[in-house]
Amino acid sequence: KQFEQSHSFYFLLEGEVNFSISVENNSDEFSVGKSDEQFTPIGWSGFRAPNRYATTVRCDTPCTLLKWSLDKLIKLFDEDPLIGKNFLCFVLQKAVHLLNQVWSELTKFNNSDWYVDFGQESESEQENATYAVLTPLELLRQSPFFEIFTENELDKLAGIAEKKYY
């Protein structure tokens, strides 16, 4: 799931998976790519700080996956950097088609409502638009400042967070 703390890395062996993301102020998810290619990497954003998944991945058909613990892979790569280099080069080769799909999908995304205030008057007619309010847990998961906390710790933090509206 997008923004979840990474724990595993996968290669797709059989089946088809769909990659989707949700965007700030939008509770809907939209697809940024699909793949049925053998050895499609899943969870590779977990190798990079803040070590959280960048997309939500769902199986569109029954799938067979090869799964590793990210911690064990990282430990192996630390012990043998050449294995790590070769493994990550293979992952990047297999991810190129995914990156091209994401780029293609994101260029279609309508960003006309994204207004950044540079001291100019807003051109948006939606000044009073209603936006989805993130739960405390969703907010903590998306923040790189909380990347050092485990999911259990984030759950506890979210549980004691108070909602304040200003």
Side-chain angles (χ1 to χ4, degrees), residues 51-70:
N51 307 100
R52 295 192 176 275
Y53 295 123
T55 60
T56 297
V57 181
R58 289 188 175 80
C59 293
D60 285 346
T61 64
C63 292
T64 304
L65 304 164
L66 187 57
K67 175 184 175 184
W68 287 276
S69 159
L70 267 174

Side-chain angles (χ1 to χ4, degrees), residues 12 16-18 22 25 30 38 43 49 53 57 63 78 82 87 90 99-100 110 116 118 130-131 134 152 154 157 162:
L12 177 67
E16 182 179 65
V17 291
N18 183 357
S22 23
N25 296 332
F30 69 96
Q38 189 175 42
Y53 295 123
V57 181
C63 292
D78 286 342
L82 185 58
F87 187 92
F90 180 77
L99 295 172
N100 288 332
N110 179 2
V116 178
F118 292 108
T130 304
Y131 296 101
L134 296 176
N152 287 340
L154 285 178
L157 287 169
E162 294 181 39

Side-chain angles (χ1 to χ4, degrees), residues 59-111:
C59 293
D60 285 346
T61 64
C63 292
T64 304
L65 304 164
L66 187 57
K67 175 184 175 184
W68 287 276
S69 159
L70 267 174
D71 291 338
K72 289 180 181 178
L73 276 178
I74 291 169
K75 183 179 178 193
L76 173 65
F77 298 166
D78 286 342
E79 292 170 1
D80 193 334
L82 185 58
I83 288 176
K85 175 187 168 223
N86 291 334
F87 187 92
L88 293 175
C89 283
F90 180 77
V91 167
L92 290 175
Q93 287 174 338
K94 294 300 182 177
V96 167
H97 77 281
L98 298 173
L99 295 172
N100 288 332
Q101 284 183 44
V102 169
W103 177 254
S104 175
E105 291 299 319
L106 288 177
T107 58
K108 297 176 194 173
F109 187 72
N110 179 2
N111 63 359

Side-chain angles (χ1 to χ4, degrees), residues 3 6 36 56 60 64 70 91 117 120 133 144 146 153 160 165:
F3 304 123
S6 58
D36 61 359
T56 297
D60 285 346
T64 304
L70 267 174
V91 167
D117 185 4
Q120 304 165 345
V133 177
F146 292 95
E153 291 167 333
I160 62 171
Y165 299 95

